[in-house]
Amino acid sequence: MNTVISKPVTLTKMCELHGIDMPRNGDLAERFQKAFPTAAYDDGAGEWRMVWKKGSYAESNARLETFFAENGVDVSHVDKC
């Protein structure tokens, strides 16, 4: 069982660009990179970024929700789209 992160991860939907506010390094980040190889850490924004194609938002969101739930991490959402 993975340890629970005390700070929830914030997912920010910015239409095709999504931001994931979680640490750049550590076990969770390593697992995240393996699960979402197209994600990259944006130093300027201080968060992980992923580009999703229109029409795949619900599926992508469900994958992220599942990933974080399986890793014992709470998720909050911000919709800027």
Side-chain angles (χ1 to χ4, degrees):
M1 173 108 182
N2 296 314
T3 56
V4 175
I5 305 297
S6 59
K7 178 184 174 198
V9 168
T10 302
L11 304 178
T12 304
K13 300 172 191 173
M14 299 173 281
C15 298
E16 290 185 7
L17 180 65
H18 285 58
I20 300 96
D21 180 21
M22 59 176 247
R24 178 182 190 156
N25 298 308
D27 291 338
L28 181 62
E30 288 177 26
R31 290 189 299 269
F32 181 77
Q33 283 184 296
K34 288 178 184 173
F36 301 95
T38 61
Y41 193 83
D42 183 323
D43 287 314
E47 65 184 9
W48 289 88
R49 295 286 176 98
M50 293 175 66
V51 175
W52 292 337
K53 293 181 183 177
K54 191 169 187 152
S56 69
Y57 299 157
E59 177 186 335
S60 298
N61 190 60
R63 283 187 60 221
L64 280 170
E65 287 273 355
T66 299
F67 170 81
F68 287 116
E70 290 174 347
N71 284 279
V73 179
D74 290 328
V75 177
S76 64
H77 295 268
V78 175
D79 191 348
K80 292 185 176 181
C81 186

